[in-house]
Amino acid sequence: MIRRPPRSTPLYSSAASDVYKRQHAGPKNLFNKLILFKASLLASSIITASKNSFPLKSKKVTPIGHAIDYKTFYKKIDSFSKKDFAIVSRISKSKNIEESIEGFLNSSASESGSILIIGGPLTNEDEDYYEYLLNIYKEHKNVSFIGPVPHSELVNYLKNVSFNINNTDKGFYDKSVLETSVNGIINFYKNIVLKYKDTLLGPFWNVINSIFLISVLSLSYFLFLNPDNFESFIYRLSI
């Protein structure tokens, strides 16, 4: 299922990734930009999710991380069954969405399951990347682009999802990881040990990352091999 038809020629290029090194684009309307600027002058402190979330440079900005409405997403798990995969994310090259989709398609999970990409683009560069993804996966019936979904309706799309993929290179836990975890969905993500990459452990980064991934895959294989163990493991996590 694709909500918008793809362009005949993909417009995405690797140069688009440069936008993610800059600040959030902010309001497009000049009047709203002026309001935001005036508010930043009057405010004693500006709270944001991350240091790049606020479009204006200011020493008043304090990043505190993401938060979610726990009651909206919480679901107690009484049993577990393997359903579909999802990527709950803004459509952005920085999210490595193509890599995640390819990983799914090259796995045994794609033989009987589907993957939903829930989210939309923000910037013009994101739009081009979105059109690129729509174009290259338009023939895959088990790859569905849902588009942007209001937070109040997101839980409705998660009913048939058991696994969420967060493939962001850097950063703390995204909101999607919090939302889906609280909803009883297992998350696969790789940003847990990235903070060690630029430290003294840097030279051993590939070894550390490999050990971490092998451990995760081994645990997953053991749990999937014995559904009773898997269900028991998930149930204990939900208590």
Side-chain angles (χ1 to χ4, degrees):
M1 177 176 62
I2 299 177
R3 286 195 169 179
R4 287 170 24 190
R7 296 173 181 170
S8 57
T9 304
L11 298 179
Y12 170 72
S13 67
S14 59
S17 62
D18 291 341
V19 72
Y20 307 111
K21 299 176 183 178
R22 301 193 293 268
Q23 297 292 105
H24 191 286
K28 296 180 180 180
N29 182 282
L30 178 59
F31 180 71
N32 291 337
K33 286 184 177 181
L34 292 174
I35 292 178
L36 183 63
F37 176 71
K38 184 177 180 179
S40 68
L41 293 178
L42 297 175
S44 58
S45 182
I46 301 172
I47 306 300
T48 65
S50 67
K51 64 179 182 179
N52 295 321
S53 297
F54 192 68
L56 305 176
K57 290 185 177 181
S58 174
K59 294 181 179 180
K60 299 177 182 179
V61 173
T62 302
I64 60 173
H66 288 290
I68 65 169
D69 184 349
Y70 181 84
K71 293 182 179 179
T72 298
F73 292 95
Y74 175 74
K75 182 177 70 175
K76 184 176 180 180
I77 302 176
D78 294 319
S79 61
F80 185 87
S81 59
K82 290 187 290 182
K83 299 178 183 177
D84 291 332
F85 281 72
I87 300 173
V88 183
S89 170
R90 173 170 59 87
I91 301 299
S92 163
K93 175 61 179 176
S94 65
K95 304 295 184 179
N96 298 316
I97 294 174
E98 182 180 0
E99 183 180 73
S100 300
I101 296 175
E102 287 299 317
F104 168 78
L105 292 175
N106 291 322
S107 71
S108 59
S110 66
E111 297 175 2
S112 58
S114 300
I115 187 167
L116 309 177
I117 296 85
I118 306 174
L122 179 63
T123 66
N124 291 334
E125 288 82 358
D126 293 343
E127 287 276 0
D128 291 344
Y129 182 57
Y130 188 34
E131 298 292 352
Y132 165 78
L133 293 174
L134 291 175
N135 190 58
I136 62 174
Y137 294 113
K138 62 184 178 181
E139 302 298 332
H140 293 271
K141 295 182 179 180
N142 59 345
V143 178
S144 300
F145 289 87
I146 305 301
V149 173
H151 280 87
S152 58
E153 299 177 15
L154 180 56
V155 290
N156 296 327
Y157 290 89
L158 299 179
K159 291 180 179 178
N160 295 317
V161 171
S162 294
F163 310 97
N164 177 57
I165 302 174
N166 179 280
N167 200 13
T168 306
D169 281 333
K170 295 182 179 180
F172 299 102
Y173 297 119
D174 283 355
K175 282 191 297 183
S176 65
V177 175
L178 298 175
E179 292 163 347
T180 50
S181 294
V182 170
N183 198 249
I185 294 171
I186 296 174
N187 276 266
F188 294 94
Y189 54 94
K190 67 176 183 179
N191 55 11
I192 189 170
V193 291
L194 280 173
K195 60 183 179 180
Y196 298 113
K197 188 174 182 179
D198 298 322
T199 66
L200 293 176
L201 295 176
F204 307 101
W205 163 247
N206 290 331
V207 175
I208 295 171
N209 195 37
S210 298
I211 293 174
F212 172 73
L213 291 176
I214 291 172
S215 300
V216 171
L217 291 173
S218 299
L219 176 62
S220 300
Y221 179 76
F222 167 73
L223 294 174
F224 277 118
L225 193 64
N226 189 330
D228 292 334
N229 287 340
F230 189 59
E231 182 174 328
S232 176
F233 177 75
I234 297 303
Y235 179 72
R236 288 194 180 94
L237 290 179
S238 69
I239 298 177

